[in-house]
Amino acid sequence: MTAIDLSTRVPLRLPTATATFAIGIAGYLGVNLSPYMITAAQTGLGIDVLAASWLVTATLLLTAVTGLAIAPLCAGSRRRAVARTGLAIAALGFATAALVPALILPALLVGGAGAGGAVAASGAALAAFRNPDRVAGFNGLANRGVITIVLAVIPLVGLAPIDVFGALALFSILGLPVSAWLPAAPVIDPRAGAAVAEAMPIDVPPTGAVRLSPARSRTVTIAGFSLLVVFALWAVSEDSLWAMAGIMGAAQTGLTPEGLGLALSGATAGGLVGSVLLMIVGSRLGRAAPLAVLLLAGGVLKIVEGFTTDPTAFIVVFVAWNTVYAIAFMYFVSTSAALDADGRWSGPLLAVYLVGSALTPVIGAALVGMLGFQGFAVALGIASFVLAVPASAIALLSTRLERAATAEETL
């Protein structure tokens, strides 16, 4: 028999939230800083942009593969050990890349592998909290808020290896002391309980679970694996447009680099707005209907983007699309967290996303080469329409399981 151990879920409190979000930001920072990393690698190693791009891609792929491989360990009592080990390795690798230019290549690969542990541990920890939808909103707000500041500050400091790779090392180091507050699952011993002692009300028992029949357990397992596949395909379709936005905008509308910067900044702001909306709404609308609507709306916006010829309209549609994308991303996270309180699915989910994110510049360029910009946009839109069906079905299952388990727990 398999258990959905909802009694171990805890309310979001400052210590546990700080640990979960900070470690997640440290693990994901390389994805957001990838353009800066390419420039820093070029400067440090004296290589061309193609070679630097492949080095950064390899770094991100190592983060993804490591996160996927180590995610099962994060669904239990070893979560904090994984987080600490990953952060320490990432700090060592990125610090070496920052301080010893000749070792940038191996150091970045080591740092990327270490970041995978942080990604898996923080993703699994998201399942430890009550109201996964609202927690996903808080996580999105913290992530995008910090990243927005970092993206703005680093170019002012410089894009040398010491600046870019040093920032990656610094965030990994900052995650180490707060890792003691990372919520563990299941809560089975005093050390695990210490991470949530402040957060857990006195009248909530530390143990207990809602048992699933073998057939129901298989259904959850199938849904979990299916969610990872759907999310990976969706991530590829979304990030391909992000990767090709500058080229598409310039070719279709004459979009300038300044206009692209405005579009990217507006897209980040849209993500922040989406995070706040999800924090307010929480689980009131369920997950299935919102996720289906978001994927359908995102598909329409991607198609519209492919046929837009005015630069201002291009920016507006891009910001609208990215706002929808950000909210959908958070609903995927909350769906995975709700399927299992131990983080069995939310742990690998974020690593799965990195696989697609690392490869999308290559995939996007290949699709544009085969289909042209309009065909590319239509293909991405159709992908969203198709994926909306299984995504909403899995979201509906997660909502029903969570509500049934909560109802049984109150009996």
Side-chain angles (χ1 to χ4, degrees):
M1 301 284 277
T2 299
I4 292 184
D5 203 353
L6 290 185
S7 66
T8 66
R9 290 191 192 267
V10 298
L12 194 67
R13 294 288 185 265
L14 183 60
T16 48
T18 298
T20 303
F21 299 161
I23 293 171
I25 290 170
Y28 249 60
L29 190 60
V31 180
N32 296 283
L33 295 187
S34 57
Y36 300 162
M37 289 174 68
I38 292 171
T39 300
Q42 284 183 270
T43 302
L45 293 175
I47 56 179
D48 61 26
V49 66
L50 181 60
S53 298
W54 275 111
L55 174 56
V56 173
T57 295
T59 300
L60 298 181
L61 280 176
L62 268 176
T63 299
V65 171
T66 303
L68 283 172
I70 209 166
L73 294 179
C74 299
S77 59
R78 298 178 182 175
R79 182 180 301 161
R80 272 185 254 129
V82 170
R84 288 166 180 161
T85 302
L87 289 168
I89 294 173
L92 176 63
F94 292 133
T96 301
L99 299 172
V100 189
L103 296 179
I104 284 179
L105 193 156
L108 282 185
L109 298 181
V110 170
V119 168
S122 63
L126 290 172
F129 299 104
R130 298 173 192 165
N131 199 331
D133 305 283
R134 186 160 289 146
V135 170
F138 274 104
N139 181 57
L141 181 64
N143 191 296
R144 284 181 174 260
V146 171
I147 294 303
T148 298
I149 296 172
V150 172
L151 288 173
V153 169
I154 286 184
L156 300 178
V157 177
L159 295 181
I162 186 66
D163 305 311
V164 180
F165 305 141
L168 291 167
L170 176 61
F171 272 84
S172 296
I173 292 170
L174 292 175
L176 283 169
V178 301
S179 63
W181 296 326
L182 193 69
V187 179
I188 56 176
D189 59 43
R191 288 177 300 169
V196 296
E198 280 188 89
M200 185 172 292
I202 261 177
D203 58 342
V204 175
T207 58
V210 176
R211 296 288 177 181
L212 298 180
S213 67
R216 201 82 177 274
S217 176
R218 285 194 297 272
T219 300
V220 173
T221 300
I222 293 171
F225 279 115
S226 299
L227 180 64
L228 296 181
V229 173
V230 169
F231 187 64
L233 295 174
W234 177 79
V236 169
S237 75
E238 299 296 306
D239 274 14
S240 291
L241 179 57
W242 178 273
M244 293 294 106
I247 299 172
M248 181 187 293
Q252 290 184 184
T253 71
L255 187 69
T256 63
E258 292 77 15
L260 178 61
L262 180 61
L264 296 179
S265 300
T268 302
L272 290 172
V273 172
S275 300
V276 172
L277 290 175
L278 186 55
M279 287 161 51
I280 295 172
V281 172
S283 58
R284 296 173 192 170
L285 302 177
R287 296 185 192 99
L291 192 53
V293 170
L294 288 166
L295 263 61
L296 293 175
V300 170
L301 288 170
K302 283 188 283 189
I303 293 174
V304 171
E305 190 80 319
F307 290 85
T308 301
T309 56
D310 177 75
T312 301
F314 187 92
I315 293 172
V316 171
V317 174
F318 186 82
V319 171
W321 160 73
N322 198 258
T323 302
V324 169
Y325 150 79
I327 302 174
F329 183 99
M330 288 180 277
Y331 269 111
F332 271 112
V333 171
S334 66
T335 297
S336 67
L339 281 176
D340 193 311
D342 288 348
R344 183 184 176 193
W345 305 112
S346 60
L349 186 85
L350 298 182
V352 161
Y353 177 82
L354 286 179
V355 175
S357 182
L359 295 175
T360 45
V362 177
I363 295 173
L367 289 175
V368 168
M370 289 189 298
L371 305 174
F373 288 120
Q374 293 183 348
F376 168 69
V378 170
L380 298 185
I382 292 174
S384 289
F385 300 153
V386 173
L387 293 173
V389 177
S392 59
I394 298 167
L396 180 60
L397 174 66
S398 76
T399 302
R400 286 178 174 174
L401 284 173
E402 187 182 21
R403 289 175 178 172
T406 301
E408 186 170 338
E409 189 181 344
T410 58
L411 294 178

